[in-house]
Amino acid sequence: MMVKYDELIPEIIPDVAGCPVPLAKRTLRNACVDFFKRSEAWVHHPTPLTPVAGLPELYIDVPEGTRCYKILTFDYKGKKLEPTSEVLLDDRIPGWREAQGQPKVFFKGCGSLGTTL
């Protein structure tokens, strides 16, 4: 069940007398984001992604009003890929963006998911 921050403010304000409502909303939002990041309490299972030949990135559709914080697992054709970072790929596999074939690793970028050999 989705609840707007505005609906929770009347529950909070009596305990923090004098706190400006915008500050209470921002603090509540930050606490919620921190909770979901650390607890991994909400997990989204997106529809299967289809890679495009020659493009090293995939884009994950997430529900409106949400964002992807962390990729817990990623499989390609039934094989689990290992997580890495774009920086490590640049250091270890120069030219990985142009590589073709079965991906072996993945990383989460800004709004995209990179895969490579």
Side-chain angles (χ1 to χ4, degrees):
M1 172 173 82
M2 299 279 284
V3 176
K4 293 182 179 184
Y5 297 125
D6 290 338
E7 295 175 35
L8 298 173
I9 294 302
E11 303 290 327
I12 296 169
I13 292 297
D15 293 325
V16 288
C19 178
V21 171
L23 176 59
K25 282 185 189 179
R26 189 170 51 249
T27 303
L28 176 60
R29 180 196 167 281
N30 291 344
C32 290
V33 168
D34 185 55
F35 170 79
F36 284 107
K37 280 182 181 179
R38 292 196 291 145
S39 71
E40 297 174 2
W42 184 78
V43 177
H44 174 65
H45 299 278
T47 57
L49 304 172
T50 304
V52 177
L55 294 178
E57 297 174 334
L58 301 169
Y59 291 90
I60 300 171
D61 287 326
V62 296
E64 187 176 334
T66 67
R67 63 183 131 172
C68 180
Y69 170 70
K70 181 179 182 180
I71 307 293
L72 299 176
T73 62
F74 187 79
D75 294 19
Y76 180 76
K77 293 187 177 180
K79 182 180 176 193
K80 190 171 274 194
L81 303 183
E82 294 296 320
T84 189
S85 73
E86 193 170 4
V87 172
L88 284 175
L89 283 174
D90 288 338
D91 285 347
R92 296 181 183 169
I93 309 173
W96 65 267
R97 287 175 179 85
E98 292 79 34
Q100 302 264 335
Q102 175 96 7
K104 294 183 175 80
V105 297
F106 75 93
F107 66 90
K108 182 194 171 298
C110 293
S112 67
L113 180 71
T115 63
T116 190
L117 300 172

